[in-house]
Amino acid sequence: MMKTSNMKILLLVVSGIFLAGCSNTAFYHKNMMRGQVVEQSTDRTLICIGAKHGAEVGQKYSVIRFHEEIAPGEGDDPYTIEKVGTVQITKIVNDHFATVKLISGDIAAKDMVELED
């Protein structure tokens, strides 16, 4: 019988192989293509999702913002989520970044982006 620590290591290795193999599947795109607005200015809006993540010119992303509640009740989620806009990729910059244009809303640096269905 394998020791518990050996089983955990084996599970981590198998999970890593599985996730690497899924990186270009519909599952990955739907559940994992999330990033952040890195830069928002009048000249450029940059998100941290790039070629390495399967980003493509023309993809649309919902932009969401988290708001922290001052004193949530015990066991309550301290954050609320608000959709603040939509962006569309105009250029893949490199493996890690893409530029986007604002389709709707009012976005800011540090907002989160996630691929729309």
Side-chain angles (χ1 to χ4, degrees), residues 24-76:
N24 285 320
T25 64
F27 171 82
Y28 177 83
H29 280 76
K30 181 173 178 158
N31 297 295
M32 306 296 251
M33 283 196 66
R34 295 188 177 110
Q36 189 174 43
V37 176
V38 176
E39 177 184 330
Q40 164 58 15
S41 68
T42 56
D43 298 330
R44 173 171 89 160
T45 302
L46 188 70
I47 62 172
C48 66
I49 296 177
K52 180 179 179 180
H53 309 103
E56 298 174 4
V57 171
Q59 286 178 325
K60 291 184 180 179
Y61 287 80
S62 294
V63 182
I64 55 176
R65 188 171 296 150
F66 295 89
H67 300 282
E68 186 173 11
E69 293 184 25
I70 301 297
E74 186 175 329
D76 290 342

Side-chain angles (χ1 to χ4, degrees), residues 84-95:
V84 294
T86 301
V87 294
Q88 184 174 25
I89 293 181
T90 56
K91 180 182 176 187
I92 305 300
V93 175
N94 58 30
D95 280 351

